Amino acid sequence: KDSRFVMDSGQNKRFALVVNNKSDKPVFFFAAPHVVQPAEYSLGFKFKCLCINHAFRAEAGETWYRIVELRLSKDFVGSELTVTHTIIGIDQARAEDFSMQPDMPDM
């Protein structure tokens, strides 16, 4: 929550997104597509992130993580960019439905 870092145009940055499951049961979740503010600065920005139409699982008492990458084009125009994900908890059955082979090809 409230994680921040500074990048210059033309830079790439890899970092970890972390879920620390302190409960005694697995948790299931997915990431809604990210929101970028201000939207007019989103040209020249690329984020390989969690919103990949996939459900994730963090086992009981474990720490789950995913390495992601944020890229800014050398021609990026903007002074500040805020990228937000909403993480949504789901039940195991719904998670399993989205962990199977896709029934629709990617476009």
Side-chain angles (χ1 to χ4, degrees):
K1 184 174 181 174
D2 296 327
S3 296
R4 299 174 191 274
F5 53 84
V6 176
M7 291 177 64
D8 291 322
S9 297
Q11 285 189 316
N12 299 341
K13 184 162 190 87
R14 288 187 182 154
F15 54 97
L17 299 176
V18 179
V19 173
N20 189 7
N21 182 3
K22 296 180 181 181
S23 76
D24 61 352
K25 296 180 181 170
V27 294
F28 304 89
F29 59 96
F30 73 96
H34 50 260
V35 175
V36 180
Q37 295 293 329
E40 58 269 22
Y41 290 167
S42 62
L43 184 62
F45 147 83
K46 186 167 187 168
F47 191 17
K48 293 185 174 187
C49 58
L50 289 179
C51 53
I52 57 171
N53 196 31
H54 182 77
F56 301 98
R57 175 185 184 132
E59 295 295 338
E62 292 187 354
T63 300
W64 174 97
Y65 68 93
R66 181 175 174 96
I67 304 300
V68 296
E69 184 175 71
L70 184 66
R71 298 177 181 180
L72 290 181
S73 164
K74 63 181 176 64
D75 299 317
F76 175 79
V77 175
S79 58
E80 187 172 307
L81 190 66
T82 301
V83 182
T84 305
H85 273 109
T86 300
I87 305 301
I88 300 161
I90 57 176
D91 63 25
Q92 184 173 355
R94 187 166 182 210
E96 288 172 356
D97 285 344
F98 281 91
S99 296
M100 300 172 70
Q101 287 287 55
D103 57 353
M104 295 173 41
D106 287 338
M107 295 185 185

